[in-house]
Amino acid sequence: MFVAANWKMNLDKKLIFEFSKHLNTFKFSSKVEACIFPPMTYVDYLNSLISNLPISVGGQNCHYKKSGAYTGEVSPLFLKDTGCKYVIIGHSERRILNHETNDEIKLRAQSAINSNLKVVLCVGESLIDHEKGSALKFVEEQLLESLPNNFENLLIAYEPIWSIGTGKIPSVNDIEDMHQHIKKFIFEKTNKKVKVLYGGSVNLENINNILNIVNVDGVLIGGSSLNVKDFLAIYSAAVKHLDKF
Ligand code: PEP
């Protein structure tokens, strides 16, 4: 089980310091892996504050080249060098605001993997595709075009765009179908098993329902991960959920 916090472009040095104080007094479980994706500039700082804890740190994106004339971009090697274990690739905000295409996302994911980072590859449909009933088809196409050629331990985050930051989430059946579809599709194409996280308006109220859905292997949390108490309560819900089995 994996619980990931995508802080996006939030939390400065002072707030990260405060956040880390709570993390340092919390008892983490070996059953649930936690990873925080802070703003790139604070990867090193966060790592230094939580280096004794069983929490991973990750980058929110990386470039497909390892070095060169790419002003403003981050090399996967630099993420690795600053202690990142994971990287998010293909978040819908990057796809929409930075015009990242599936082709580019595939390159970024492969480059990250080749640099020994574990990739959280984000997919998810728009509201239009959701309402048309073509979400499965849309996500299948995203996967077809953006899955790296070689990978081990890939994590997929199913994040419907219309659910991110809106408080709306798909029905239990829709999440279950999508996660099953993603796993089946990737297995048929690559003979590999992947874990699928759900992301989109995860919060304290809906976490138990989400964790109870078959084929949900964890969550990627945006807004609710900015508050350390909420983040740790969601983490604890994941531990409790596993304790039931
Ligand atoms: C996200 O953007 O990855 C996300 C899941 O955001 P939120 O939880 O705020 O919907």
Side-chain angles (χ1 to χ4, degrees):
M1 182 69 73
F2 193 76
V3 173
N6 176 14
W7 285 355
K8 311 190 185 192
M9 200 169 71
N10 295 296
L11 303 189
D12 59 15
K13 208 165 183 176
K14 192 161 165 272
L15 291 171
I16 291 175
F17 181 71
E18 290 306 316
F19 199 109
S20 74
K21 283 205 278 188
H22 290 267
L23 296 179
N24 273 291
T25 58
F26 185 78
K27 207 168 167 330
F28 287 89
S29 158
S30 56
K31 291 183 191 165
V32 177
E33 183 171 3
C35 182
I36 298 178
F37 296 86
M40 298 290 195
T41 43
Y42 298 127
V43 163
D44 237 358
Y45 181 59
L46 177 64
N47 244 327
S48 71
L49 294 171
I50 61 171
S51 59
N52 297 327
L53 303 178
I55 310 179
S56 306
V57 174
Q60 295 176 11
N61 191 28
C62 71
H63 200 254
Y64 50 84
K65 292 284 189 183
K66 294 186 174 161
S67 64
Y70 301 97
T71 303
E73 291 286 349
V74 176
S75 160
L77 289 180
F78 301 165
L79 288 182
K80 190 74 193 162
D81 202 26
T82 44
C84 286
K85 187 167 172 192
Y86 288 90
V87 62
I88 295 174
I89 301 286
H91 191 281
S92 59
E93 284 151 17
R94 301 242 13 132
R95 290 175 185 267
I96 295 165
L97 303 171
N98 298 76
H99 312 292
E100 286 183 13
T101 61
N102 285 332
D103 288 348
E104 193 177 337
I105 286 159
K106 179 175 181 165
L107 290 174
R108 286 179 188 247
Q110 192 64 65
S111 177
I113 288 166
N114 296 347
S115 306
N116 292 320
L117 290 164
K118 292 188 178 181
V119 168
V120 178
L121 180 66
C122 297
V123 293
E125 80 287 356
S126 66
L127 185 60
I128 295 175
D129 281 296
H130 171 68
E131 284 174 346
K132 275 200 309 205
S134 51
L136 294 178
K137 176 115 206 32
F138 181 85
V139 167
E140 197 177 300
E141 199 141 314
Q142 279 186 321
L143 290 170
L144 195 64
E145 292 177 6
S146 61
L147 263 190
N149 292 331
N150 302 303
F151 65 84
E152 301 295 332
N153 306 319
L154 186 69
L155 285 163
I156 304 293
Y158 169 52
E159 299 207 306
I161 298 168
W162 55 272
S163 174
I164 293 179
T166 60
K168 295 181 190 151
I169 64 167
S171 68
V172 166
N173 281 349
D174 282 351
I175 295 178
E176 191 173 322
D177 285 354
M178 180 62 84
H179 282 225
Q180 192 193 25
H181 192 70
I182 291 171
K183 288 182 182 204
K184 191 164 167 271
F185 180 79
I186 295 180
F187 190 74
E188 282 170 5
K189 286 265 163 272
T190 67
N191 217 20
K192 286 183 180 144
K193 289 186 177 166
V194 292
K195 292 205 156 52
V196 183
L197 314 177
Y198 171 76
S201 294
V202 173
N203 59 33
L204 270 177
E205 279 85 62
N206 58 30
I207 184 64
N208 287 320
N209 287 343
I210 291 169
L211 291 173
N212 279 330
I213 301 172
V214 179
N215 284 324
V216 168
D217 301 307
V219 285
L220 179 54
I221 318 158
S224 295
S225 74
L226 298 175
N227 177 308
V228 67
K229 289 194 177 137
D230 285 1
F231 173 64
L232 291 175
I234 291 172
Y235 178 89
S236 299
V239 176
K240 260 202 202 126
H241 173 77
L242 289 182
D243 282 344
K244 285 195 280 190
F245 300 102

